[in-house]
Amino acid sequence: MVKELLIILISSSLVSNVVLSQFLGLCPFLGVSKKTETAAGMGTAVIFVITLASAVAGAIYKFILLPFNLTYLRTIVFILVIAALVQFVEMFLKKFMKSLYQALGVYLPLITTNCAVLGVALTNVQKNYGILTGIVNGFATALGFTIAIVILAGIREKLEYNDIPESFKGMPIVLVTAGLMAIAFCGFSGLL
């Protein structure tokens, strides 16, 4: 069991990185990755939301949707769970971490529509993960998202001091950088 969870942890965070190999969650990945502090804050919020969403969605699926043969409602139910968790995170940050709340801006409520969060919940169901395995998969996926966004933010901070051709300034160089990161993360595929 521990070996299986370790394989899921490595696979979901590095090998099958949600952003760099599955291309889910690109909106906050590209939008919030200008500063490492903001990227780390977004990563932490995503870790919290995806891990809790995996736990709650897995429990609802196993104990309510499956027994009552309501599995066709899973997408709607998962979206409602995610929306409620994001509202909780938003209220918490607004009350206790105002600077991070303001730095994340519009991207914090966008976690609700972040396809990576819903993608993890649906992946857990499709792969028939139990609740514990689903939580580990959710945490690992969110950890992979955080690793990718913090690395991109660090690179973007360094790119500000470089002489970049005019046609590559702004989003083009960010997309090139993300593409190179995706190629680099392909190197992890040899781990498993």
Side-chain angles (χ1 to χ4, degrees):
M1 180 70 175
V2 174
K3 182 180 178 182
E4 178 187 341
L5 293 177
L6 186 61
I7 288 172
I8 289 172
L9 185 72
I10 293 170
S11 174
S12 294
S13 61
L14 297 175
V15 178
S16 299
N17 187 284
V18 70
V19 177
L20 300 174
S21 70
Q22 298 176 16
F23 307 113
L24 297 174
L26 288 176
C27 178
F29 177 70
L30 297 173
V32 184
S33 61
K34 292 179 183 172
K35 294 185 178 183
T36 53
E37 295 85 20
T38 309
M42 174 59 94
T44 304
V46 168
I47 287 174
F48 179 77
V49 169
I50 289 182
T51 305
L52 270 173
S54 297
V56 174
I60 289 173
Y61 186 79
K62 182 176 181 178
F63 297 117
I64 297 173
L65 298 180
L66 269 179
F68 293 108
N69 199 22
L70 299 171
T71 55
Y72 60 92
L73 293 174
R74 68 178 175 236
T75 304
I76 295 169
V77 170
F78 292 170
I79 289 172
L80 291 174
V81 166
I82 292 164
L85 290 171
V86 170
Q87 287 301 310
F88 174 73
V89 169
E90 189 172 5
M91 289 186 304
F92 177 82
L93 290 179
K94 190 174 185 177
K95 182 158 179 98
F96 296 110
M97 300 176 171
K98 291 184 181 187
S99 61
L100 180 59
Y101 174 77
Q102 292 170 347
L104 293 176
V106 71
Y107 293 100
L108 184 59
L110 284 178
I111 295 175
T112 303
T113 58
N114 185 343
C115 53
V117 183
L118 181 60
V120 170
L122 292 174
T123 298
N124 290 343
V125 169
Q126 289 172 345
K127 292 187 176 183
N128 291 323
Y129 285 159
I131 295 174
L132 177 64
T133 311
I135 291 170
V136 169
N137 182 50
F139 174 77
T141 301
L143 181 65
F145 175 87
T146 304
I147 290 168
I149 196 170
V150 169
I151 290 172
L152 182 64
I155 293 171
R156 284 180 76 172
E157 285 180 353
K158 298 292 182 188
L159 284 174
E160 288 181 21
Y161 302 108
N162 291 328
D163 187 28
I164 299 171
E166 191 64 36
S167 60
F168 279 99
K169 286 187 179 178
M171 197 51 67
I173 194 68
V174 173
L175 292 173
V176 168
T177 303
L180 292 172
M181 284 176 58
I183 291 170
F185 268 67
C186 284
F188 290 120
S189 62
L191 286 174
L192 300 175

